[in-house]
């Protein structure tokens, strides 16, 4: 039963905890997008909660590490874990720029136990991505509150409405940051 809490609902978080929307971007948007992903890179930790559905009220915590993609396009690769009580679930997400939008996957994508990222766009301090798995359609919004705070909301489409189902408040994990040596 606990593993059902994690898949695919909490798997949506790794998104990204950090992840993207269909939009045509003006010239220069790619470099602005890269700046967003670079600012989202690093170690993150924080609590989350399932706010709707069968597991409403379930609280969890996540520890994630994000790295900008290295292939020249804007994007991010995320790895880590989320935990409910003593149960721990690996989390991963990859978001990469494809033309004027973003594509990627949470966990192993919709063909496995995860979700596909089917669209996305960066707008200033936030990214909105379209997510899909079979008949499930939704969106994830990740917003940088400041350099050390990232809020993530995952919503699913129910009839003609987007309903928030997961909320996550991540803070930069200062304990994981690399610190230079101090010489006497």
């Amino acid at each position: 039963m606990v593993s059902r809490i994690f898949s695919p609902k909490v798997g949506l978080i790794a998104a990204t905890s950090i992840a993207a929307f269909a939009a045509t971007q003006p010239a220069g948007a790619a470099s602005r997008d890269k700046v967003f992903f670079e600012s989202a890179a690093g170690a993150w930790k924080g609590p989350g909660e399932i706010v709707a559905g069968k597991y409403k009220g379930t609280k969890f915590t996540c520890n994630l590490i994000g790295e900008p993609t290295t292939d020249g396009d804007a994007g991010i690769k995320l790895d880590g874990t989320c935990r409910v009580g003593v149960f721990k679930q690996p989390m991963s997400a990859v978001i990469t720029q494809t033309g004027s939008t973003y594509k990627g996957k949470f966990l192993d994508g919709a063909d496995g136990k995860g979700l596909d990222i089917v669209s996305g766009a960066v707008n200033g301090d936030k990214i909105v991505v379209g997510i899909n798995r079979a008949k499930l359609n939704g969106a994830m919004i990740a917003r940088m509150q400041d350099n050390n705070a990232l809020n993530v909301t995952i919503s699913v489409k129910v009839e003609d409405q987007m309903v928030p189902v997961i909320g996550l408040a991540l803070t930069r994990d200062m304990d994981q940051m690399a610190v230079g040596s101090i010489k006497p």
Side-chain angles (χ1 to χ4, degrees):
M1 177 173 149
V2 173
S3 65
R4 289 182 158 205
I5 293 171
F6 283 115
S7 292
K9 293 180 181 170
V10 176
L12 291 171
I13 295 166
T16 217
S17 288
I18 307 175
F21 341 58
T24 302
Q25 300 174 357
S31 61
R32 288 191 303 269
D33 290 6
K34 276 187 160 193
V35 168
F36 173 84
F37 288 112
E38 288 169 359
S39 72
W44 296 91
K45 65 181 178 179
E49 182 175 356
I50 298 174
V51 297
K54 183 177 179 178
Y55 299 106
K56 181 179 179 178
T58 300
K59 295 182 187 314
F60 56 90
T61 59
C62 293
N63 291 297
L64 305 165
I65 296 177
E67 297 178 1
T69 56
T70 56
D71 61 3
D73 289 329
I76 196 161
K77 181 177 188 254
L78 209 67
D79 285 302
T81 59
C82 289
R83 175 187 297 272
V84 172
V86 297
F87 300 97
K88 193 164 147 181
Q89 172 80 24
M91 292 294 144
S92 64
V94 176
I95 301 169
T96 55
Q97 187 174 27
T98 304
S100 63
T101 191
Y102 285 86
K103 303 288 182 188
K105 61 185 177 179
F106 291 104
L107 299 174
D108 55 354
D111 290 338
K113 294 182 180 181
L115 298 161
D116 288 337
I117 297 168
V118 296
S119 62
V122 174
N123 186 5
D125 62 354
K126 73 179 176 182
I127 183 168
V128 177
V129 296
I131 53 177
N132 177 269
R133 176 181 176 87
K135 294 181 182 178
L136 172 75
N137 290 301
M140 182 190 77
I141 300 171
R143 182 169 185 254
M144 296 287 295
Q145 294 297 111
D146 59 42
N147 286 337
N148 297 315
L150 177 67
N151 290 332
V152 178
T153 303
I154 298 168
S155 301
V156 296
K157 190 167 187 175
V158 178
E159 296 177 9
D160 294 334
Q161 230 176 2
M162 291 298 280
V163 177
V165 293
I166 296 175
L168 182 63
L170 298 169
T171 56
R172 208 167 285 280
D173 188 352
M174 299 303 194
D175 294 337
Q176 295 293 319
M177 291 184 71
V179 178
S181 64
I182 299 173
K183 295 182 181 180

